[in-house]
Amino acid sequence: QVQLVESGGGLVQAGGSLRLSCTASGLTAMSYTMAWFRQAVGKEREMVAAISWPYGSTYYTASMKGRFTISRDDNKNTVYLQMSSLKPEDTAVYYCAARWRDYDISQRAYPYWGQGTRVTVSS
């Protein structure tokens, strides 16, 4: 019943910014986590950032902290990933994921996934 839909991907020049959105439905419990993962060609899927309900605690992969910011809009049931100072190495498909309870860095801990949105950063 849980559905996640990402949007906001596209082509951006190096140094530019982009904001991804993930709108959720069916997350009726009050304690859960939503996260952003990404997967580049030839690489494993990795966590970018996560945010938990109900208190809004955040987690960032060390390499992302400072350039990427995760936030939420409870009224819209949406989580955002604001990306700045983008680099060509950020090119990947970005996925929204959700799980009950607190965050986990492993993709295997997340039973609910969106279809992904592609981000391409040109040099």
Side-chain angles (χ1 to χ4, degrees), residues 10-18 38 67-68 83-92 94 118-123:
L11 176 64
V12 64
Q13 293 182 339
S17 299
L18 208 61
R38 71 181 186 184
R67 295 193 300 122
F68 293 3
M83 305 184 292
S84 62
S85 301
L86 285 164
K87 306 173 182 178
E89 63 194 56
D90 295 319
T91 295
Y94 285 72
R118 174 169 289 278
V119 173
T120 302
V121 184
S122 65
S123 60

mmCIF file of all heavy atoms in Angstrom, residues 10-18 38 67-68 83-92 94 118-123:
data_model
loop_
_atom_site.group_PDB
_atom_site.id
_atom_site.type_symbol
_atom_site.label_atom_id
_atom_site.label_comp_id
_atom_site.label_asym_id
_atom_site.label_seq_id
_atom_site.Cartn_x
_atom_site.Cartn_y
_atom_site.Cartn_z
ATOM 1 N N GLY A 10 17.076 15.700 -13.550
ATOM 2 C CA GLY A 10 17.295 16.322 -14.838
ATOM 3 C C GLY A 10 18.758 16.583 -15.084
ATOM 4 O O GLY A 10 19.629 16.031 -14.416
ATOM 5 N N LEU A 11 19.022 17.436 -16.055
ATOM 6 C CA LEU A 11 20.379 17.797 -16.444
ATOM 7 C C LEU A 11 20.747 19.136 -15.830
ATOM 8 O O LEU A 11 19.982 20.104 -15.921
ATOM 9 C CB LEU A 11 20.487 17.866 -17.967
ATOM 10 C CG LEU A 11 21.822 18.320 -18.550
ATOM 11 C CD1 LEU A 11 22.919 17.323 -18.212
ATOM 12 C CD2 LEU A 11 21.696 18.504 -20.053
ATOM 13 N N VAL A 12 21.908 19.189 -15.208
ATOM 14 C CA VAL A 12 22.382 20.417 -14.583
ATOM 15 C C VAL A 12 23.882 20.532 -14.807
ATOM 16 O O VAL A 12 24.583 19.526 -14.897
ATOM 17 C CB VAL A 12 22.035 20.438 -13.079
ATOM 18 C CG1 VAL A 12 22.761 19.315 -12.342
ATOM 19 C CG2 VAL A 12 22.357 21.784 -12.461
ATOM 20 N N GLN A 13 24.368 21.757 -14.916
ATOM 21 C CA GLN A 13 25.794 21.986 -15.085
ATOM 22 C C GLN A 13 26.526 21.834 -13.754
ATOM 23 O O GLN A 13 25.958 22.059 -12.683
ATOM 24 C CB GLN A 13 26.053 23.381 -15.650
ATOM 25 C CG GLN A 13 25.563 23.577 -17.070
ATOM 26 C CD GLN A 13 25.882 24.953 -17.609
ATOM 27 O OE1 GLN A 13 26.113 25.895 -16.865
ATOM 28 N NE2 GLN A 13 25.899 25.075 -18.926
ATOM 29 N N ALA A 14 27.782 21.455 -13.838
ATOM 30 C CA ALA A 14 28.606 21.364 -12.641
ATOM 31 C C ALA A 14 28.582 22.685 -11.883
ATOM 32 O O ALA A 14 28.677 23.758 -12.474
ATOM 33 C CB ALA A 14 30.031 20.981 -13.004
ATOM 34 N N GLY A 15 28.456 22.589 -10.571
ATOM 35 C CA GLY A 15 28.352 23.767 -9.731
ATOM 36 C C GLY A 15 26.935 24.236 -9.499
ATOM 37 O O GLY A 15 26.707 25.105 -8.640
ATOM 38 N N GLY A 16 25.996 23.680 -10.219
ATOM 39 C CA GLY A 16 24.616 24.070 -10.089
ATOM 40 C C GLY A 16 23.899 23.368 -8.956
ATOM 41 O O GLY A 16 24.483 22.588 -8.208
ATOM 42 N N SER A 17 22.603 23.635 -8.864
ATOM 43 C CA SER A 17 21.773 23.093 -7.794
ATOM 44 C C SER A 17 20.546 22.412 -8.365
ATOM 45 O O SER A 17 20.097 22.712 -9.480
ATOM 46 C CB SER A 17 21.336 24.201 -6.834
ATOM 47 O OG SER A 17 22.444 24.824 -6.223
ATOM 48 N N LEU A 18 20.001 21.512 -7.579
ATOM 49 C CA LEU A 18 18.813 20.779 -7.970
ATOM 50 C C LEU A 18 18.098 20.331 -6.707
ATOM 51 O O LEU A 18 18.745 19.994 -5.712
ATOM 52 C CB LEU A 18 19.203 19.570 -8.819
ATOM 53 C CG LEU A 18 18.212 19.021 -9.850
ATOM 54 C CD1 LEU A 18 17.870 20.068 -10.894
ATOM 55 C CD2 LEU A 18 18.803 17.784 -10.520
ATOM 56 N N ARG A 38 21.360 6.634 -3.993
ATOM 57 C CA ARG A 38 21.697 6.860 -5.385
ATOM 58 C C ARG A 38 22.540 5.708 -5.900
ATOM 59 O O ARG A 38 23.236 5.035 -5.148
ATOM 60 C CB ARG A 38 22.432 8.189 -5.588
ATOM 61 C CG ARG A 38 23.855 8.217 -5.054
ATOM 62 C CD ARG A 38 24.477 9.585 -5.276
ATOM 63 N NE ARG A 38 25.882 9.611 -4.918
ATOM 64 C CZ ARG A 38 26.639 10.703 -4.951
ATOM 65 N NH1 ARG A 38 26.113 11.871 -5.334
ATOM 66 N NH2 ARG A 38 27.921 10.642 -4.615
ATOM 67 N N ARG A 67 26.904 19.634 1.187
ATOM 68 C CA ARG A 67 26.380 19.953 -0.140
ATOM 69 C C ARG A 67 24.924 19.561 -0.304
ATOM 70 O O ARG A 67 24.195 20.205 -1.047
ATOM 71 C CB ARG A 67 27.212 19.275 -1.227
ATOM 72 C CG ARG A 67 28.634 19.760 -1.329
ATOM 73 C CD ARG A 67 29.280 19.279 -2.625
ATOM 74 N NE ARG A 67 29.308 17.822 -2.716
ATOM 75 C CZ ARG A 67 28.748 17.115 -3.692
ATOM 76 N NH1 ARG A 67 28.110 17.735 -4.681
ATOM 77 N NH2 ARG A 67 28.827 15.796 -3.691
ATOM 78 N N PHE A 68 24.520 18.503 0.370
ATOM 79 C CA PHE A 68 23.157 18.005 0.254
ATOM 80 C C PHE A 68 22.415 18.237 1.569
ATOM 81 O O PHE A 68 22.986 18.076 2.653
ATOM 82 C CB PHE A 68 23.140 16.507 -0.058
ATOM 83 C CG PHE A 68 23.676 16.127 -1.413
ATOM 84 C CD1 PHE A 68 24.211 17.076 -2.277
ATOM 85 C CD2 PHE A 68 23.641 14.812 -1.828
ATOM 86 C CE1 PHE A 68 24.702 16.725 -3.520
ATOM 87 C CE2 PHE A 68 24.127 14.445 -3.071
ATOM 88 C CZ PHE A 68 24.660 15.401 -3.919
ATOM 89 N N MET A 83 20.276 19.708 -3.428
ATOM 90 C CA MET A 83 21.643 19.427 -3.819
ATOM 91 C C MET A 83 22.272 20.689 -4.393
ATOM 92 O O MET A 83 21.682 21.357 -5.239
ATOM 93 C CB MET A 83 21.699 18.299 -4.851
ATOM 94 C CG MET A 83 21.010 17.021 -4.398
ATOM 95 S SD MET A 83 21.187 15.671 -5.591
ATOM 96 C CE MET A 83 20.202 16.318 -6.935
ATOM 97 N N SER A 84 23.469 21.002 -3.939
ATOM 98 C CA SER A 84 24.185 22.174 -4.415
ATOM 99 C C SER A 84 25.621 21.796 -4.738
ATOM 100 O O SER A 84 26.103 20.729 -4.366
ATOM 101 C CB SER A 84 24.143 23.296 -3.373
ATOM 102 O OG SER A 84 24.783 22.901 -2.180
ATOM 103 N N SER A 85 26.303 22.710 -5.441
ATOM 104 C CA SER A 85 27.692 22.479 -5.853
ATOM 105 C C SER A 85 27.855 21.113 -6.500
ATOM 106 O O SER A 85 28.777 20.356 -6.187
ATOM 107 C CB SER A 85 28.631 22.632 -4.656
ATOM 108 O OG SER A 85 28.534 23.921 -4.091
ATOM 109 N N LEU A 86 26.967 20.812 -7.397
ATOM 110 C CA LEU A 86 26.941 19.486 -8.003
ATOM 111 C C LEU A 86 28.172 19.235 -8.858
ATOM 112 O O LEU A 86 28.690 20.142 -9.507
ATOM 113 C CB LEU A 86 25.676 19.308 -8.831
ATOM 114 C CG LEU A 86 24.408 19.092 -8.001
ATOM 115 C CD1 LEU A 86 23.164 19.306 -8.848
ATOM 116 C CD2 LEU A 86 24.411 17.685 -7.402
ATOM 117 N N LYS A 87 28.605 17.991 -8.842
ATOM 118 C CA LYS A 87 29.777 17.551 -9.574
ATOM 119 C C LYS A 87 29.381 16.437 -10.534
ATOM 120 O O LYS A 87 28.386 15.748 -10.308
ATOM 121 C CB LYS A 87 30.841 17.028 -8.602
ATOM 122 C CG LYS A 87 31.208 17.998 -7.497
ATOM 123 C CD LYS A 87 32.129 17.337 -6.489
ATOM 124 C CE LYS A 87 32.461 18.280 -5.352
ATOM 125 N NZ LYS A 87 33.334 17.629 -4.339
ATOM 126 N N PRO A 88 30.157 16.243 -11.589
ATOM 127 C CA PRO A 88 29.845 15.140 -12.509
ATOM 128 C C PRO A 88 29.741 13.791 -11.806
ATOM 129 O O PRO A 88 28.946 12.942 -12.229
ATOM 130 C CB PRO A 88 31.012 15.176 -13.496
ATOM 131 C CG PRO A 88 31.412 16.611 -13.533
ATOM 132 C CD PRO A 88 31.241 17.099 -12.121
ATOM 133 N N GLU A 89 30.490 13.579 -10.744
ATOM 134 C CA GLU A 89 30.434 12.322 -10.012
ATOM 135 C C GLU A 89 29.121 12.124 -9.270
ATOM 136 O O GLU A 89 28.853 11.030 -8.784
ATOM 137 C CB GLU A 89 31.603 12.223 -9.023
ATOM 138 C CG GLU A 89 31.578 13.281 -7.934
ATOM 139 C CD GLU A 89 32.900 13.377 -7.192
ATOM 140 O OE1 GLU A 89 33.936 13.592 -7.857
ATOM 141 O OE2 GLU A 89 32.899 13.229 -5.957
ATOM 142 N N ASP A 90 28.300 13.166 -9.175
ATOM 143 C CA ASP A 90 26.978 13.040 -8.574
ATOM 144 C C ASP A 90 25.961 12.460 -9.544
ATOM 145 O O ASP A 90 24.819 12.196 -9.153
ATOM 146 C CB ASP A 90 26.482 14.399 -8.074
ATOM 147 C CG ASP A 90 27.318 14.947 -6.937
ATOM 148 O OD1 ASP A 90 27.693 14.166 -6.045
ATOM 149 O OD2 ASP A 90 27.591 16.167 -6.938
ATOM 150 N N THR A 91 26.345 12.299 -10.790
ATOM 151 C CA THR A 91 25.451 11.715 -11.781
ATOM 152 C C THR A 91 25.037 10.310 -11.353
ATOM 153 O O THR A 91 25.879 9.455 -11.099
ATOM 154 C CB THR A 91 26.130 11.672 -13.156
ATOM 155 O OG1 THR A 91 26.370 13.008 -13.608
ATOM 156 C CG2 THR A 91 25.254 10.955 -14.172
ATOM 157 N N ALA A 92 23.738 10.081 -11.265
ATOM 158 C CA ALA A 92 23.220 8.803 -10.802
ATOM 159 C C ALA A 92 21.704 8.824 -10.889
ATOM 160 O O ALA A 92 21.090 9.870 -11.101
ATOM 161 C CB ALA A 92 23.654 8.531 -9.356
ATOM 162 N N TYR A 94 18.637 8.607 -8.559
ATOM 163 C CA TYR A 94 18.358 8.840 -7.151
ATOM 164 C C TYR A 94 17.021 8.215 -6.786
ATOM 165 O O TYR A 94 16.011 8.446 -7.450
ATOM 166 C CB TYR A 94 18.350 10.337 -6.848
ATOM 167 C CG TYR A 94 19.735 10.930 -6.821
ATOM 168 C CD1 TYR A 94 20.459 11.101 -7.994
ATOM 169 C CD2 TYR A 94 20.328 11.300 -5.621
ATOM 170 C CE1 TYR A 94 21.743 11.626 -7.975
ATOM 171 C CE2 TYR A 94 21.603 11.828 -5.590
ATOM 172 C CZ TYR A 94 22.310 11.989 -6.767
ATOM 173 O OH TYR A 94 23.589 12.516 -6.739
ATOM 174 N N ARG A 118 16.508 10.414 -12.494
ATOM 175 C CA ARG A 118 17.886 10.513 -12.945
ATOM 176 C C ARG A 118 18.404 11.940 -12.833
ATOM 177 O O ARG A 118 17.742 12.898 -13.244
ATOM 178 C CB ARG A 118 18.016 10.032 -14.394
ATOM 179 C CG ARG A 118 19.407 10.245 -14.993
ATOM 180 C CD ARG A 118 19.589 9.521 -16.306
ATOM 181 N NE ARG A 118 19.667 8.080 -16.111
ATOM 182 C CZ ARG A 118 20.768 7.433 -15.756
ATOM 183 N NH1 ARG A 118 21.890 8.098 -15.526
ATOM 184 N NH2 ARG A 118 20.743 6.118 -15.618
ATOM 185 N N VAL A 119 19.619 12.052 -12.301
ATOM 186 C CA VAL A 119 20.332 13.315 -12.216
ATOM 187 C C VAL A 119 21.600 13.192 -13.048
ATOM 188 O O VAL A 119 22.400 12.277 -12.829
ATOM 189 C CB VAL A 119 20.686 13.678 -10.763
ATOM 190 C CG1 VAL A 119 21.593 14.911 -10.716
ATOM 191 C CG2 VAL A 119 19.423 13.910 -9.950
ATOM 192 N N THR A 120 21.774 14.101 -13.980
ATOM 193 C CA THR A 120 22.970 14.130 -14.809
ATOM 194 C C THR A 120 23.646 15.481 -14.650
ATOM 195 O O THR A 120 23.028 16.522 -14.887
ATOM 196 C CB THR A 120 22.631 13.892 -16.287
ATOM 197 O OG1 THR A 120 21.958 12.636 -16.436
ATOM 198 C CG2 THR A 120 23.900 13.880 -17.131
ATOM 199 N N VAL A 121 24.903 15.455 -14.245
ATOM 200 C CA VAL A 121 25.673 16.676 -14.033
ATOM 201 C C VAL A 121 26.735 16.754 -15.119
ATOM 202 O O VAL A 121 27.607 15.891 -15.212
ATOM 203 C CB VAL A 121 26.326 16.710 -12.646
ATOM 204 C CG1 VAL A 121 27.045 18.038 -12.435
ATOM 205 C CG2 VAL A 121 25.278 16.493 -11.566
ATOM 206 N N SER A 122 26.666 17.779 -15.928
ATOM 207 C CA SER A 122 27.615 17.950 -17.013
ATOM 208 C C SER A 122 28.847 18.693 -16.529
ATOM 209 O O SER A 122 28.806 19.460 -15.559
ATOM 210 C CB SER A 122 26.966 18.707 -18.175
ATOM 211 O OG SER A 122 26.623 20.031 -17.801
ATOM 212 N N SER A 123 29.952 18.473 -17.227
ATOM 213 C CA SER A 123 31.209 19.108 -16.858
ATOM 214 C C SER A 123 31.341 20.503 -17.432
ATOM 215 O O SER A 123 32.220 21.258 -17.042
ATOM 216 C CB SER A 123 32.384 18.240 -17.298
ATOM 217 O OG SER A 123 32.359 18.071 -18.707
#
